[in-house]
Amino acid sequence: MTWARRAVPAVAAAVAALAARDLIQRDHALLRNFPVLGRARYLLETIGPELRQYIVAGNNEERPFTRDQRRWVYASAKQENNYFGFGTDNDIEYTLGYPIIKHRTFGRAVPPSSPTAGHDVRLPSAKVLGAARGRARAFRPESVVNISGMSFGSLSGNAITALNKGAALAGCLQNTGEGGLSPYHRNGGELVFQLGTAYFGCRDEHGRFSLDRLKDLVAGAPVRALEIKLSQGAKPSLGGLLPGAKVSAEIAATRGIPAGQDCVSPSRHAEFSDCDSLLDWVELLAAETGLPVGIKSAVGDLGFWQELATLMRDTGRGVDFVTIDGGEGGTGAAPLIFTDSVSLPFQQGFSRVYKIFAEHDLHEQVVFVGGGKLGLPDNAIVAFALGCDLVNVGREAMLAIGCIQAQKCHTDTCPTGVATQNTWLARGLDPTLKSVRAANYLRTLRRDLTKVAEACGVEHPGLIGTDAVEILDGRTGSTPLHQVYGYRPEWGLPSPADQAEIIRLMVPEAPQGGSAPPSATAVG
Ligand SMILES: Cc1cc2nc3c(=O)[nH]c(=O)nc-3n(C[C@H](O)[C@H](O)[C@H](O)COP(=O)(O)O)c2cc1C
Ligand code: SF4
């Protein structure tokens, strides 16, 4: 008993000390929010591989992101060793639809000698956004990887700050999402401003779109492009509701709505009602702001895309970019039937739309942006081969700033402070530290894309053609990507002039190497 009487206070003091340490440290939001208790997760993570071997799920079983995929993002974000030992544990030989990237033995581009070379390599877009349509503020995006639209309201202020600062560090763009342009978006990162059906941030007191407010907004912030949101993959054709309890004074000011009242996003736009009026609106916004203007959409019925492309070809009006979001994409909250079953997955949806533009001879004039788990290098490479010029990363960027895939984004109880408006939980996320993690992840993804491009013998991922990818159909066969999706062999690449320019831009930057110095008897 004497022993117990002495041990209990000692243990309590140790736990209290541990809790204090967890509360003070800034590395792990989970521990700041859940001192001591949160350690159980890290312990399980450490011994997880051994446990899982006998009991639970494998490295590739969890969704939306498998354990391997998350480990790669976490390690990349922390600049830890993100390699995997012993060889793949994917079931390559028996997995239907598995993509294989084909390297070239004597390719044009020489891969760097060191596995870590190229971490800071520039990887700009192969197309100039807005150039084809002569927009006053056309520009070449500095990075082929950018941050997808996720609103302040859906994400915490600290998460938006971390992503915005991370975008500035990594030299990429952050899309505001449809919830307006908040003070957290003003931390140095350049922006794509998204216009949703409620026109948050650019609406008048009656909820109507206000061109003057939009012009004031983009004049006072580093906005480089406008994106009209038609739909997103996880919940196409659905409006949204932010309950009054979550409409804080900050959110109200950002969105231009009254605080404390339910905030409704309608399911349709008021400024246009068909392709013709959509194109008129695009031209109006571009003329009034000088900015490139694009649309974001999931893919369902193709009638819309046929009509849009035909009108663009025949009338000379047009969008500068098209963002295609796959049905496997993420959301803060949506009904299960929509996340699971409405709209095509990325590869199928994107290839159908790209083909329509290519058949109308517009594919070289439009910048194609992809989203839907494209923050993983293998998915991104297939997207580039299919004709994407840029990829957007949403949830992968959330993982980089601490998301643990708890899938509670819709409950306002996100344990890591990423997707919540609860000030206690959000305070756990240190935006300065996490901005560095976001930037590390973005740079690592760009480096991997560069290295795969070089392995394929080209200087830039946008130059990877459909002939470089095959889709396995089981144990014994495979089909080239262009056949799977009915592409003509020349589709999926920028125009010859854009190809020449991106090669010129990449070559001085690309770290050269690849062999030991040649001997005196070398023959070539
Ligand atoms: C928390 C959260 C909020 C989002 N908010 C928006 C939004 O405001 N506007 C939008 O177009 N898409 C929104 N999305 C969708 C993403 O921008 C992206 O298109 C989708 O998640 C696919 O990319 P990913 O697989 O890399 O996450 C949101 C996604 C998440 C996870
Ligand atoms: S609730 Fe879970 S899945 Fe959503 S952001 Fe937070 S940790 Fe990530």
Side-chain angles (χ1 to χ4, degrees):
M1 284 309 279
T2 324
W3 173 86
R5 235 179 282 132
R6 276 198 206 125
V8 170
V11 170
V15 171
L18 201 58
R21 189 160 177 263
D22 288 350
L23 275 169
I24 294 163
Q25 62 78 41
R26 288 172 172 273
D27 270 13
H28 304 289
L30 190 67
L31 289 185
R32 285 186 91 195
N33 289 339
F34 301 96
V36 185
L37 278 182
R39 285 178 181 271
R41 177 176 182 274
Y42 294 106
L43 178 69
L44 284 175
E45 197 178 65
T46 312
I47 57 167
E50 290 78 3
L51 279 181
R52 278 196 314 279
Q53 235 177 321
Y54 303 103
I55 319 172
V56 215
N59 288 337
N60 297 303
E61 281 175 34
E62 288 167 276
R63 294 287 181 277
F65 296 94
T66 68
R67 197 177 305 267
D68 275 355
Q69 291 167 338
R70 281 182 286 135
R71 183 158 88 71
W72 178 79
V73 175
Y74 294 143
S76 302
K78 293 178 192 163
Q79 280 201 310
E80 289 171 355
N81 183 345
N82 67 358
Y83 279 22
F84 286 71
F86 207 59
T88 183
D89 57 6
N90 293 352
D91 190 7
I92 297 180
E93 295 152 296
Y94 292 97
T95 306
L96 190 72
Y98 195 98
I100 293 294
I101 301 158
K102 297 191 292 180
H103 66 284
R104 259 188 213 145
T105 305
F106 295 119
R108 198 171 63 206
V110 182
S113 303
S114 140
T116 53
H119 194 267
D120 285 323
V121 75
R122 278 185 62 223
L123 199 50
S125 165
K127 287 183 189 157
V128 176
L129 192 53
R133 311 200 50 72
R135 306 299 187 205
R137 295 175 64 191
F139 71 107
R140 183 186 295 278
E142 273 296 295
S143 168
V144 297
V145 180
N146 297 289
I147 299 175
S148 208
M150 294 178 290
S151 311
F152 169 52
S154 162
L155 299 193
S156 67
N158 275 356
I160 299 281
T161 304
L163 293 176
N164 189 261
K165 287 184 170 179
L169 290 171
C172 75
L173 299 162
Q174 179 189 24
N175 188 308
T176 58
E178 63 189 294
L181 199 158
S182 72
Y184 305 105
H185 288 105
R186 296 172 186 271
N187 281 286
E190 293 191 323
L191 302 166
V192 175
F193 181 73
Q194 190 177 70
L195 295 122
T197 53
Y199 308 114
F200 292 130
C202 54
R203 58 193 246 146
D204 66 15
E205 43 294 339
H206 305 292
R208 294 174 303 202
F209 170 70
S210 161
L211 184 58
D212 288 338
R213 290 203 179 164
L214 176 71
K215 284 163 75 175
D216 286 349
L217 188 84
V218 302
V223 174
R224 305 296 307 270
L226 300 175
E227 183 178 78
I228 301 166
K229 178 178 170 182
L230 301 178
S231 57
Q232 76 184 79
K235 50 172 182 179
S237 298
L238 271 189
L241 176 95
L242 193 63
K246 281 189 168 179
V247 183
S248 64
E250 247 181 346
I251 289 180
T254 299
R255 297 192 174 201
I257 54 172
Q261 293 181 19
D262 286 355
C263 166
V264 178
S265 292
S267 54
R268 296 277 184 278
H269 277 269
E271 296 305 293
F272 53 88
S273 52
D274 53 19
C275 289
D276 195 36
S277 48
L278 166 64
L279 286 175
D280 280 345
W281 203 52
V282 166
E283 294 298 337
L284 173 79
L285 298 183
E288 292 287 334
T289 62
L291 294 169
V293 181
I295 50 173
K296 171 170 178 172
S297 181
V299 183
D301 176 56
L302 293 182
F304 163 76
W305 299 101
Q306 291 281 5
E307 196 184 339
L308 185 73
T310 305
L311 279 172
M312 280 177 63
R313 187 193 56 200
D314 296 347
T315 69
R317 293 167 296 164
V319 293
D320 298 293
F321 66 97
V322 169
T323 305
I324 296 296
D325 201 31
E328 65 275 56
T331 173
L336 188 63
I337 176 66
F338 277 82
T339 57
D340 281 0
S341 306
V342 185
S343 85
L344 288 165
F346 173 77
Q347 284 182 23
Q348 293 210 32
F350 179 84
S351 56
R352 290 186 198 186
V353 171
Y354 183 91
K355 268 164 47 185
I356 291 172
F357 278 84
E359 280 156 0
H360 287 77
D361 207 19
L362 293 166
H363 55 304
E364 292 176 354
Q365 293 163 36
V366 172
V367 173
F368 289 97
V369 188
K373 296 170 78 171
L374 302 187
L376 305 166
D378 48 346
N379 291 346
I381 290 291
V382 178
F384 279 109
L386 284 172
C388 264
D389 300 295
L390 307 173
V391 292
N392 280 342
V393 298
R395 289 164 296 173
E396 302 86 333
M398 290 164 68
L399 292 172
I401 61 168
C403 161
I404 55 169
Q405 195 166 272
Q407 294 177 277
K408 299 219 181 317
C409 318
H410 59 298
T411 63
D412 207 33
T413 58
C414 168
T416 59
V418 176
T420 179
Q421 296 309 308
N422 177 310
T423 41
W424 163 255
L425 293 169
R427 141 211 169 278
L429 192 159
D430 177 354
T432 306
L433 178 95
K434 302 293 183 182
S435 67
V436 175
R437 297 220 174 137
N440 286 340
Y441 156 69
L442 292 160
R443 289 197 188 105
T444 307
L445 176 58
R446 287 197 303 235
R447 185 199 60 194
D448 279 12
L449 296 177
T450 312
K451 287 163 88 69
V452 175
E454 286 164 345
C456 293
V458 294
E459 298 79 358
H460 185 277
L463 304 179
I464 296 177
T466 44
D467 58 338
V469 180
E470 286 191 18
I471 304 295
L472 301 186
D473 51 21
R475 183 79 178 89
T476 52
S478 67
T479 315
L481 195 62
H482 56 84
Q483 267 181 39
V484 173
Y485 291 115
Y487 273 36
R488 293 187 200 140
E490 69 276 13
W491 287 354
L493 295 171
S495 69
D498 282 338
Q499 290 186 42
E501 182 59 9
I502 196 66
I503 291 171
R504 192 187 69 76
L505 289 174
M506 290 303 294
V507 167
E509 298 282 342
Q512 298 294 301
S515 70
S519 75
T521 54
V523 289

